[in-house]
Amino acid sequence: MLKAILHGKAGRIEHNEDESVSWSSLFQAREDLLTSSVFERFAYLSEVVQACLLKHWFKTYQGILPDGFGEFKGISYWPRYIHEHSSGTNQVEPDSIFHFDECSIIVEVKPPAGGDQYFEQWQKEIESFIQSEQGQDKPLYFLAIGRIRQADARDWAIPLLAKVDSLKAVAALEWPSVTEHIIALTSDDGMGDKPVVSKQDRFILQDILEGLSLYGLQVSPFKWSQLKADVFPKLSLNHGLLQ
């Protein structure tokens, strides 16, 4: 389906009764489609590439991180939990839960052009997960991607970490950082501590990048400044091309 949308072959879909929109326009407005485009494919990556992505996603964090999260077991998408609080109960639906044998990670996603992350949502998702059976016996980590300032992430993490004993770390980053890191993983520059990326991993990572391109993110390693310098010659009125 992703390839059909990228190549303009998916057609249009009825939206809001009489309104017809393209699938690409629908993608840009829905965080759930962004979640599925990226994280469905995460599950197919090798362990070494999964670990490399997680290390980058948790690069800026508050709390304490382990050396590794353990063996990857799977992902739950939009699970529903009951949040019990002083005013009663209500349902809470995180975007996804990454399950490892040694811990769990709540992932909250906001698309680049969507609404901002907000503290109350983080708090409800963490508390409702802890109150569920799944959240009883393992350390918990929280990851927010998109529409979040680092200053806010730090200020929100401090009371959450103090209140919830099993919550060990809170991390946040923006989508351009995600895409730039994936581009670096798929490049052939051999720089830094990049792991060996297999041919299969490259195909999967490229699919993730193509999905992210639907949200207006730069998914090529070239910037306009580089293109001008490397591809276009410097012209003047005396340049040979103009004579």
Side-chain angles (χ1 to χ4, degrees):
M1 186 62 177
L2 176 60
K3 297 294 185 182
I5 294 170
L6 289 166
H7 292 278
K9 299 297 184 181
R12 301 178 70 84
I13 184 172
E14 295 299 321
H15 183 62
N16 293 335
E17 297 182 354
D18 296 330
E19 182 184 2
S20 175
V21 299
S22 67
W23 272 100
S24 60
S25 296
L26 187 63
F27 256 70
Q28 293 170 7
R30 296 294 300 273
E31 65 185 61
D32 292 345
L33 298 179
L34 175 57
T35 298
S36 63
S37 296
V38 175
F39 299 128
E40 281 180 8
R41 289 160 176 79
F42 176 92
Y44 305 138
L45 292 166
S46 65
E47 289 185 8
V48 66
V49 174
Q50 286 180 345
C52 185
L53 289 175
L54 287 167
K55 182 179 179 180
H56 178 75
W57 295 347
F58 278 87
K59 186 176 181 179
T60 304
Y61 68 94
Q62 301 294 315
I64 301 173
L65 281 182
D67 293 332
F69 294 106
E71 182 182 352
F72 176 66
K73 295 297 186 181
I75 302 175
S76 298
Y77 296 96
W78 311 289
R80 292 184 177 180
Y81 301 112
I82 300 298
H83 181 220
E84 298 181 5
H85 48 87
S86 58
S87 300
T89 62
N90 61 282
Q91 282 193 342
V92 178
E93 190 177 276
D95 287 320
S96 61
I97 309 290
F98 281 39
H99 302 285
F100 294 84
D101 62 348
E102 297 179 7
C103 69
S104 302
I105 303 174
I106 297 176
V107 182
E108 180 57 36
V109 167
K110 299 294 182 188
D116 293 337
Q117 304 269 355
Y118 58 98
F119 174 79
E120 290 77 11
Q121 185 177 29
W122 290 17
Q123 183 177 33
K124 289 177 182 178
E125 290 178 357
I126 291 168
E127 290 180 351
S128 64
F129 181 76
I130 293 298
Q131 292 168 2
S132 72
E133 287 187 13
Q134 288 182 325
Q136 296 296 315
D137 57 354
K138 293 181 181 179
L140 176 64
Y141 301 88
F142 188 91
L143 173 64
I145 305 181
R147 309 291 297 181
I148 178 64
R149 299 189 308 161
Q150 285 300 326
D152 288 335
R154 181 183 63 251
D155 291 344
W156 300 350
I158 292 171
L160 291 171
L161 290 165
K163 184 178 181 180
V164 182
D165 290 340
S166 60
L167 179 65
K168 302 304 180 184
V170 175
L173 75 166
E174 294 286 4
W175 283 110
S177 178
V178 173
T179 58
E180 289 168 9
H181 182 244
I182 295 175
I183 289 168
L185 282 177
T186 59
S187 70
D188 296 317
D189 55 20
M191 299 293 288
D193 58 353
K194 185 176 69 174
V196 175
V197 179
S198 69
K199 184 177 181 180
Q200 179 178 341
D201 282 330
R202 286 177 185 271
F203 281 130
I204 298 168
L205 291 170
Q206 192 57 48
D207 265 7
I208 293 175
L209 287 175
E210 290 184 350
L212 290 169
S213 73
L214 290 170
Y215 295 86
L217 292 158
Q218 178 184 314
V219 296
S220 118
F222 301 107
K223 293 182 171 59
W224 175 243
S225 59
Q226 294 173 314
L227 191 65
K228 288 195 298 181
D230 299 338
V231 178
F232 296 113
K234 293 181 179 180
L235 297 178
S236 71
L237 292 176
N238 297 320
H239 198 282
L241 293 176
L242 299 177
Q243 294 177 359

